[in-house]
């Protein structure tokens, strides 16, 4: 299916069926169309409220458990968001869980400029180099998914996030079952994919219920060397409900080891490396021969006699021997919701998160045991991360007259560290473990990040409750202090210093008006700032002391201003929405040196450091149409049209980089999604298609990738109760159904790449199939 077919399907559905909203007489609202009240711990009943956010004064879209069936068991819930208008989710694995290749963008904002929470608990900014949180795949088992709410542009004031310039993603876990039972699920799939899920529910006992659950998953890479990825993860949740309140406890323990794929370039594709080009392992001799071609072994302009490239490779960056990411996380929260009266609700939540991570890269040209008989031209480079954060959230709501007043505070104390080390080797070894006692240490830096945020909001209705108004402010304050660890010998010392990001008042306002017959319009406005990033994400403090000193007093936090408005209609047979937005993104940060090479480093103004390089302007349109002509059938369609451009040029190496008016990197100009879901008796079938438009990976737009369309298929049969079991289901899922190969996530951005040499992308996974047996007892 070409892009115009998907576009035509969406347009036809909107043009032909939307007018019935105005012609309908005595229309009945869709089942559960009115928004259900939500408790502050996030236990929303998302199954009973409209997908398109009816009743909200901002653009909101929701995904429920039923929407995950088209994808294999264990798929990252972030990937499930890919059908929502304006959302572009990428990963080079079928489950969307490989974190090095996992990205999400929305309205011109990338992964780290969105906000993420789980049951209200902050997950940080989703950076691959962790420093203030963790990915949703490591926080929640996908089988325990309860729903997700995406606010495209303007998130709730009470969201515990300091990175939500472009919107918020609020994930929810499901509650324990009120009946005793269990669930076992086993998945078999392509490339030795194996996933086992087990859950046991206690049922309700005088208001108390709990489940314990766990997953063991393994898989090979879909391209040689077929290195294994493993996951061990456990979720436990307990709920105690009593007159006047509810107590919730949650624990997550995750241990992951992910084999990472090679970065690719357009030049490499032209040289015949192909989509399945990957790492050298287990061919150690070939890796060593290529590593001897590095500059350190070049003498007098002449390559080392041991240097040798082969098979289309012509540089040491085309491949390396091996790569791996290891993460261990322990996440806990305890939350309480209390209802002292019919008009007052109180919510409290405390949490703790510990993380230890290492990213391994077998670095060519970084010799092990240099100058000895054991020397080889490769060593293992490791970037090590730790997080130890504690936080508390408290909020209250009060219904007084026609006003619903809400206010709250959030506090977090995060101790984070980052170091980069080299470990010497004599040949191939397993790096599927945490390395210690490095032979070389480049830097070692520790951070203390203190977050304080408060908000206050008033919601009220006028004109016989047809007009809804939300008005509020929030006040974020983030202090980040970095210190090089004393007494540790390092080769490249980094800065000691402090950065603050704060605003006394950030306003937010929204208006919604009920037109009748299930129709409404809305308009909203918000301002936001983002905290500076920590060292795990290579933030502005992970630089030399002289570089940081030159930035003091000059750097400003990135900030955004969003205006959005739209129309929604909810009827028994369909839901539809149209939203338009205008966004201004200011104080964009880049690391660069603005001076000519002969001047670089000669003065503080000529050091490579972070600079605010101007603003980005974004505007666009998002459309959703969901057709439900009869029970058990649904056709979901979404379309988005975006134009995000840089407003300024900047100086790099003394040269003006002409970015003004250019499209922002990794921002598709068009996105279309269409999904058909059909249930007939015990059968269910789902087919999802997604067109992703043109994307650039250079700031000057001289290199990028054209659009592509991919499909996912899911089908299942429910055998019902049998052999004493409560339910037995069998599911088949096929990802990338047509085996379309394309550039998935864009891995690096450059000013220009005229010869296509930049290692700029990962390849998409090929078609893969998965079979799952799911048993409840």
């Amino acid at each position: 299916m070409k892009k115009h077919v998907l576009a035509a399907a969406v347009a036809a559905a909107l043009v032909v069926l939307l007018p019935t909203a105005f012609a309908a007489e005595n229309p009945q609202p869709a089942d559960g169309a009115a928004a259900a009240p939500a408790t502050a711990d996030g236990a929303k009943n998302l199954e009973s409220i409209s997908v398109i956010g009816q009743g909200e004064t901002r653009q909101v879209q929701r995904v429920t458990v039923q929407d995950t069936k088209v994808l294999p068991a264990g798929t990252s819930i972030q990937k499930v968001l890919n059908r929502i208008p304006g959302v572009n989710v990428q990963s080079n694995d079928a489950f969307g869980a490989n974190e090095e290749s996992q990205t999400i963008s929305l309205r011109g904002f990338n992964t780290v400029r969105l906000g993420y929470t789980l049951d209200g608990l902050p997950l940080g900014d989703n950076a691959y180099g962790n420093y203030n949180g963790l990915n949703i795949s490591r926080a929640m088992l996908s089988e325990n998914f309860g729903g997700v709410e995406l606010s495209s542009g303007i998130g709730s004031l009470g969201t515990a996030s300091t990175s939500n310039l472009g919107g918020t993603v609020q994930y929810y876990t499901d509650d324990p079952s009120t009946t005793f039972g269990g669930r076992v699920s086993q998945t078999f799939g392509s490339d030795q994919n194996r996933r086992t899920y087990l859950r046991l529910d206690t049922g309700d006992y005088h208001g108390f219920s709990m489940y314990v659950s766990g997953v063991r998953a393994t898989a090979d890479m879909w391209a040689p060397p077929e290195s294994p990825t493993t996951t061990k993860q456990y979720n436990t949740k307990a709920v105690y409900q009593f007159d006047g309140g509810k107590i919730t406890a949650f624990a997550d323990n995750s241990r992951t080891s992910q084999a990472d794929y090679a970065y690719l370039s357009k030049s490499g594709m032209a040289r015949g490396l192909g989509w399945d080009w990957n790492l050298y392992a287990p061919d150690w001799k070939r890796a060593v021969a290529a590593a001897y071609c590095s500059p350190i072994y070049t003498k007098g302009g002449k390559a080392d006699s041991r240097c040798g490239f082969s098979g289309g490779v012509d540089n040491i960056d085309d491949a390396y021997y091996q790569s791996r990411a290891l993460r261990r996380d322990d996440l806990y929260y305890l939350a309480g919701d209390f209802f002292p009266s019919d008009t007052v609700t109180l919510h409290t939540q405390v949490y703790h998160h510990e993380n230890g991570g290492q990213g391994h890269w077998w670095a060519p040209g970084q010799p092990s045991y240099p100058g000895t008989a054991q020397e080889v031209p490769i060593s293992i480079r490791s970037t090590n991360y730790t997080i130890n954060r504690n936080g508390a959230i408290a909020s209250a709501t009060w219904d007084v007259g026609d006003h619903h007043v809400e206010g709250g505070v959030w506090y977090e104390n995060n101790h984070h560290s980052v170091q980069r080390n080299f470990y010497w080797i004599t040949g191939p070894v397993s790096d599927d473990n945490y390395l210690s006692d490095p032979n070389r240490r480049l830097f070692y830096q520790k951070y203390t990040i203190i977050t304080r945020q408060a908000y206050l909001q008033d919601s009220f209705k006028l004109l016989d409750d047809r007009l809804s108004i939300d008005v509020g402010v929030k006040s974020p304050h983030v202090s980040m202090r970095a210190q090089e660890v004393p007494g540790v010998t390092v080769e490249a010392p980094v800065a000691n210093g402090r950065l603050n990001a704060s605003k006394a008042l950030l306003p937010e306002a929204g208006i919604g008006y009920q037109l009748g017959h299930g129709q409404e319009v809305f308009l909203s406005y918000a301002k936001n700032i983002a905290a500076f990033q920590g060292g795990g994400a290579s933030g502005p403090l992970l630089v030399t002391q002289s570089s940081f000193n030159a930035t003091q007093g000059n750097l400003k936090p990135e900030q955004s201003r969003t205006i959005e408005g739209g129309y929604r209609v909810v009827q028994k047979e369909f839901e539809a929405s149209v939203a338009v937005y205008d966004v201004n993104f200011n104080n964009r940060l880049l690391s660069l040196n603005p001076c000519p090479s002969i001047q670089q480093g000669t003065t503080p103004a000529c050091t490579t450091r972070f600079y605010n390089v101007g603003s980005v302007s974004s505007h666009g349109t998002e459309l959703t149409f969901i057709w439900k002509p009869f029970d058990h059938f649904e056709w979901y369609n979404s379309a988005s049209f975006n134009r995000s451009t840089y407003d300024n040029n900047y100086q790099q190496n003394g040269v003006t980089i002409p970015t003004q008016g250019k499209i922002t990197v990794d921002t598709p100009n068009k996105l279309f999604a269409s999904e058909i879901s059909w249930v007939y008796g015990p059968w269910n079938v789902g087919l999802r298609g997604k067109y992703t438009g043109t994307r650039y990976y250079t700031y000057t737009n001289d290199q990028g990738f054209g659009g592509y369309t991919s499909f996912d298929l899911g089908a299942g049969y429910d055998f019902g109760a049998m052999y004493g079991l409560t339910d037995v289901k069998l599911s088949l899922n096929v990802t990338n159904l047509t085996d379309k190969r394309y550039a998935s996530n864009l891995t690096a951005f450059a000013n220009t790449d005229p010869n296509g040499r930049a290692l700029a992308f990962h390849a998409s996974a090929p078609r893969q199939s998965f079979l799952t047996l799911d048993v409840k007892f």
Side-chain angles (χ1 to χ4, degrees):
M1 182 181 291
K2 301 297 184 182
K3 67 178 182 180
H4 63 271
V5 178
L6 279 170
V10 175
L14 290 169
V15 171
V16 174
L17 296 170
L18 264 177
T20 63
F22 298 94
E25 294 184 8
N26 301 317
Q28 298 297 314
D31 294 339
T39 57
D41 71 345
K44 284 193 174 184
N45 183 10
L46 293 183
E47 295 284 359
S48 66
I49 53 182
S50 71
V51 171
I52 60 173
Q54 188 184 36
E56 300 283 358
T57 61
R58 51 201 167 92
Q59 171 77 324
V60 175
Q61 297 265 335
R62 300 182 176 102
V63 174
T64 67
V65 176
Q66 297 301 315
D67 303 317
T68 66
K69 291 182 178 180
V70 74
L71 298 171
T75 297
S76 168
I77 301 304
Q78 180 166 298
K79 183 176 179 179
V80 176
L81 298 173
N82 203 35
R83 77 173 193 172
I84 293 177
V87 177
N88 178 34
V89 177
Q90 296 288 345
S91 178
N92 69 353
D93 72 309
F95 294 98
N98 179 274
E99 292 191 37
E100 187 183 44
S101 67
Q102 186 189 75
T103 60
I104 178 172
S105 64
L106 175 65
R107 295 184 178 179
F109 290 99
N110 64 15
T111 302
V112 299
R113 294 183 174 108
L114 306 177
Y116 311 85
T117 64
L118 175 64
D119 294 346
L121 181 154
L123 297 179
D125 72 355
N126 205 15
Y128 173 63
N130 296 157
Y131 73 96
N132 72 342
L134 71 166
N135 187 276
I136 186 60
S137 295
R138 287 186 277 127
M140 174 184 68
L141 294 174
S142 61
E143 290 88 349
N144 297 333
F145 170 58
V148 59
E149 182 174 284
L150 173 70
S151 300
S152 304
I154 297 178
S156 168
L157 278 171
T159 302
S161 171
T162 57
S163 57
N164 55 327
L165 292 177
T168 60
V169 184
Q170 299 180 82
Y171 299 100
Y172 301 100
T173 56
D174 65 345
D175 278 346
S177 172
T178 57
T179 58
F180 174 80
R183 178 183 173 190
V184 179
S185 174
Q186 179 64 54
T187 299
F188 300 91
S190 303
D191 303 302
Q192 298 301 311
N193 269 277
R194 303 289 186 269
R195 180 182 177 87
T196 305
Y197 168 79
L198 175 64
R199 170 167 160 167
L200 182 64
D201 280 88
T202 64
D204 179 78
Y205 183 76
H206 300 301
F208 176 83
S209 58
M210 182 178 76
Y211 65 73
V212 292
S213 60
V215 155
R216 163 77 177 182
T218 61
D220 288 344
M221 305 176 85
W222 45 258
E226 301 175 354
S227 298
T229 286
T230 61
T231 298
K232 296 179 182 178
Q233 190 173 356
Y234 306 93
N235 282 175
T236 301
K237 188 174 184 180
V239 174
Y240 177 57
Q241 292 184 312
F242 55 94
D243 290 340
K246 174 182 176 182
I247 304 294
T248 305
F250 177 81
D252 167 71
N253 308 100
S254 173
R255 305 292 184 265
T256 63
S257 174
Q258 295 185 341
D260 288 327
Y261 292 79
Y263 298 94
L264 303 180
S265 68
K266 281 193 166 184
S267 170
M269 299 296 287
R271 284 180 271 118
L273 296 181
W275 294 108
D276 290 332
W277 173 246
N278 202 14
L279 309 176
Y280 281 130
D283 193 339
W284 177 249
K285 290 184 178 180
R286 191 179 184 192
V288 169
Y292 275 122
C293 300
S294 62
I296 192 174
Y297 291 102
T298 300
K299 307 295 183 183
K302 185 177 180 180
D304 190 284
S305 61
R306 294 165 291 187
C307 162
F309 293 127
S310 58
V313 174
D314 68 0
N315 66 89
I316 63 169
D317 294 324
D318 268 340
Y320 38 93
Y321 184 72
Q322 204 160 267
S323 180
R324 181 167 294 277
L326 299 105
R327 302 284 188 268
R328 56 172 179 253
D329 293 274
D330 297 297
L331 179 71
Y332 311 96
Y333 78 71
L334 179 65
D337 294 278
F338 309 98
F339 314 104
S341 73
D342 292 339
T343 60
V344 176
T345 299
L346 304 176
H347 171 72
T348 59
Q349 185 176 31
V350 293
Y351 62 90
H352 172 72
H353 173 216
E354 286 191 55
N355 165 264
Q358 289 189 2
H360 297 166
W361 175 53
W362 292 56
Q366 298 288 342
S368 294
Y369 301 102
T372 71
Q374 293 179 292
E375 179 178 344
V376 293
I378 299 171
S379 60
I380 301 177
R381 192 193 77 180
S382 173
T383 305
N384 299 5
Y385 317 94
T386 64
I387 299 171
N388 189 320
R389 62 188 180 117
N390 297 286
I393 299 169
S395 63
T397 65
W398 182 28
D399 293 320
V400 50
D402 294 328
H403 295 262
H404 179 79
V405 180
E406 180 179 348
V409 294
W410 167 40
Y411 173 83
E412 181 178 282
N413 188 324
N414 178 15
H415 294 276
H416 159 62
S417 73
V418 59
Q419 55 181 301
R420 179 160 292 168
N421 305 317
F422 287 90
Y423 301 84
W424 290 347
I425 53 177
T426 57
V429 297
S430 172
D431 68 344
D432 191 8
N433 58 280
Y434 287 83
L435 304 176
S436 59
D437 301 321
N439 299 95
R440 296 169 53 202
R441 177 172 279 129
L442 289 188
F443 57 79
Y444 190 3
Q445 191 180 42
K446 289 192 174 182
Y447 288 75
T448 301
I449 306 171
I450 305 296
T451 301
R452 300 177 179 87
Q453 183 167 285
Y455 75 97
L456 181 64
Q457 178 175 288
D458 182 19
S459 302
F460 55 95
K461 295 180 182 293
L462 300 171
L463 304 178
D464 297 326
D465 291 343
R466 295 170 70 89
L467 178 66
S468 300
I469 300 176
D470 299 329
V471 180
V473 294
K474 71 176 179 180
S475 180
H477 301 271
V478 183
S479 171
M480 179 184 296
R481 180 171 59 88
Q483 182 179 14
E484 192 177 49
V485 177
V488 176
T489 301
V490 296
E491 297 179 11
V494 289
N496 298 303
R498 181 190 298 271
L499 285 172
N500 296 317
S502 65
K503 276 287 184 180
L505 294 175
L506 288 170
E508 183 173 311
I511 299 175
Y513 186 74
Q514 301 292 331
L515 299 172
H517 302 290
Q519 305 166 73
E520 64 185 21
V521 292
F522 65 93
L523 179 67
S524 55
Y525 169 91
K527 279 191 171 183
N528 262 313
I529 67 167
F532 295 105
Q533 290 192 306
S538 301
L541 275 162
L542 194 67
V543 294
T544 64
Q545 190 67 55
S546 61
S547 176
F548 175 72
N549 291 343
T551 68
Q552 284 189 299
N554 296 322
L555 285 187
K556 297 179 180 179
E558 295 181 328
Q559 66 180 38
S560 66
R561 185 274 298 148
T562 300
I563 301 173
E564 63 182 17
Y567 164 83
R568 303 185 188 102
V569 56
V570 175
Q571 300 290 298
K572 183 178 181 180
E573 294 184 348
F574 71 90
E575 297 182 27
S577 73
V578 179
V580 295
Y581 58 87
D582 182 83
V583 179
N584 187 250
F585 168 31
N586 286 316
N587 302 326
R588 187 169 67 98
L589 285 169
L590 273 184
S591 177
L592 52 87
N593 193 312
C595 300
S597 57
I598 59 173
Q599 297 178 2
Q600 289 180 13
T602 59
T603 69
C606 285
T607 57
T608 298
R609 55 187 174 93
F610 280 80
Y611 290 83
N612 293 113
V613 294
S615 60
V616 173
S617 294
S618 299
H619 54 271
T621 303
E622 297 166 350
L623 305 99
T624 307
F625 181 81
I626 309 167
W627 186 33
K628 299 174 284 186
F630 48 84
D631 289 343
H632 312 303
F633 177 86
E634 179 177 300
W635 185 18
Y636 178 100
N637 296 275
S638 71
S640 57
F641 305 88
N642 172 272
R643 182 172 176 82
S644 297
T645 56
Y646 301 113
D647 295 334
N648 311 88
N649 299 326
Y650 57 85
Q651 296 286 316
Q652 173 72 38
N653 297 329
V655 177
T656 298
I657 308 301
T659 55
Q660 185 174 4
K662 301 298 184 181
I663 303 296
T664 56
V665 292
D666 199 19
T667 304
N669 54 352
K670 299 180 183 68
L671 293 167
F672 303 109
S674 188
E675 180 176 338
I676 295 176
S677 303
W678 176 69
V679 178
Y680 185 76
W683 293 95
N684 72 84
V685 178
L687 177 65
R688 174 182 297 182
K690 177 70 178 280
Y691 169 76
T692 301
T694 299
R695 295 170 293 158
Y696 297 101
Y697 67 84
T698 60
Y699 298 117
T700 57
N701 295 172
D702 71 324
Q703 286 284 12
F705 298 93
Y708 69 91
T709 302
S710 62
F711 295 90
D712 296 308
L713 172 69
Y717 186 85
D718 190 340
F719 294 91
M722 57 188 303
Y723 302 117
L725 301 172
T726 304
D727 193 26
V728 178
K729 296 179 182 178
L730 188 65
S731 302
L732 173 67
N733 298 87
V734 183
T735 58
N736 194 4
L737 181 64
T738 60
D739 202 24
K740 174 70 175 177
R741 307 307 299 273
Y742 55 89
S744 58
N745 66 305
L746 305 187
T747 62
F749 307 116
N751 293 332
T752 184
D753 185 29
N755 299 315
R757 304 290 296 186
L759 296 169
F761 64 98
H762 279 118
S764 66
R767 178 174 51 237
Q768 294 177 291
S769 302
F770 304 88
L771 188 67
T772 301
L773 180 65
D774 196 323
V775 176
K776 293 181 180 180
F777 55 88

